[in-house]
């Protein structure tokens, strides 16, 4: 989880919302929660999570707000 948190917070292409997405880890699985500004941002965070914990271990509850940065 620390690796994923660092990967997300260090990504300056993400908005403040994106960098503050909740990351909840349980039993080798990760749940992502919170709002982001765009579908691209959502996909970027989900991709980072999948690279670190594996494709089948990510549950995304990220919502797209659609606001500008």
């Amino acid at each position: 989880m620390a690796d994923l948190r660092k990967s997300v917070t260090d990504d300056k292409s993400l908005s403040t919302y994106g960098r503050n997405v909740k990351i909840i880890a349980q039993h080798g699985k990760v749940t992502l929660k919170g709002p982001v500004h765009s579908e691209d941002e959502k996909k970027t965070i989900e991709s980072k999570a999948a690279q670190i914990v594996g494709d089948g271990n990510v549950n995304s509850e990220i919502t797209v707000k659609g606001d500008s940065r």
Side-chain angles (χ1 to χ4, degrees):
M1 186 168 124
D3 290 342
L4 178 54
R5 170 56 59 201
K6 181 165 176 36
S7 176
V8 169
T9 57
D10 288 352
D11 188 337
K12 301 304 176 197
S13 72
L14 297 173
S15 68
T16 303
Y17 279 113
R19 290 194 303 270
N20 287 315
V21 161
K22 262 189 169 178
I23 300 170
I24 303 159
Q26 286 185 317
H27 310 295
K29 297 196 182 289
V30 171
T31 300
L32 307 170
K33 291 185 177 185
V36 295
H37 286 299
S38 71
E39 192 64 36
D40 284 344
E41 206 167 44
K42 177 181 176 183
K43 287 178 183 169
T44 297
I45 295 167
E46 291 168 348
S47 174
K48 287 177 183 295
Q51 287 174 0
I52 293 170
V53 299
D55 277 336
N57 296 317
V58 179
N59 176 31
S60 177
E61 296 178 11
I62 295 174
T63 57
V64 178
K65 291 296 183 193
D67 299 338
S68 60
R69 291 181 186 194

